Amino acid sequence: MRIRVPEMNGGNCADIMCGYFDQEAVSDMVYAFAALFVFQLLGELIVNWTSLPLPGPLVGMALLFVGLIAHGRVPERLSRTTGKLFQHMMLFFIPIVVGVMMHFQRVAAEWLPFLVACIAGSAITLTVTALVFQWMLKRCRIAGQ
């Protein structure tokens, strides 16, 4: 794979880089990450103020969900960026896998609860996904009639 290296030819770096990066996509990405981090920060603040036994990012994502419901739709800029993030979601699991491997001795010693939690979590996720899918299909059929 060849990488094209631009020639300066009197242009400055900003002019050259504008040809490589879509400014609208970068703007969308900054907007989306800022929104995600603001909601995560709000979640952390609420957890610290109220001493809730929940992770701050979880509370932040719940606040984001409520905000999106109140707004009535997902803003296009947020939708485009999060769509790209979901395409590469496996990268987000690398730190989790590394963390589990760092504590492999403990997992090996307590394998049964770990296995039960994995199977139960997968079963619950599959069941909820199937139920939501059925509900959405019924809703689409009713709207289509």
Side-chain angles (χ1 to χ4, degrees):
M1 178 164 123
R2 297 184 73 186
I3 299 174
R4 187 173 74 97
V5 178
E7 295 179 22
M8 291 300 277
N9 293 340
N12 62 28
C13 289
D15 292 337
I16 291 169
M17 295 313 276
C18 287
Y20 286 97
F21 298 109
D22 179 12
Q23 288 181 336
E24 185 178 342
V26 171
S27 174
D28 290 349
M29 194 176 304
V30 169
Y31 166 82
F33 279 119
L36 293 173
F37 285 136
V38 164
F39 277 100
Q40 181 175 351
L41 176 64
L42 288 173
E44 291 286 355
L45 291 173
I46 289 171
V47 166
N48 285 331
W49 286 337
T50 61
S51 299
L52 285 173
L54 296 171
L58 178 66
V59 174
M61 289 300 109
L63 290 172
L64 175 62
F65 181 67
V66 169
L68 292 174
I69 289 173
H71 186 61
R73 63 179 180 81
V74 178
E76 185 63 33
R77 297 167 78 183
L78 185 62
S79 178
R80 280 195 299 260
T81 301
T82 54
K84 295 286 184 195
L85 287 174
F86 282 135
Q87 288 176 351
H88 303 288
M89 189 168 234
M90 286 306 296
L91 294 175
F92 295 111
F93 290 108
I94 292 172
I96 296 169
V97 171
V98 170
V100 168
M101 290 296 110
M102 294 287 293
H103 298 283
F104 186 74
Q105 301 300 335
R106 183 171 181 187
V107 173
E110 301 175 23
W111 65 272
L112 185 59
F114 187 77
L115 182 65
V116 169
C118 288
I119 291 172
S122 297
I124 291 168
T125 301
L126 184 63
T127 303
V128 169
T129 302
L131 291 172
V132 168
F133 184 67
Q134 282 182 331
W135 176 73
M136 291 297 291
L137 282 176
K138 288 178 186 175
R139 187 173 174 199
C140 288
R141 286 186 194 133
I142 291 171
Q145 292 178 356

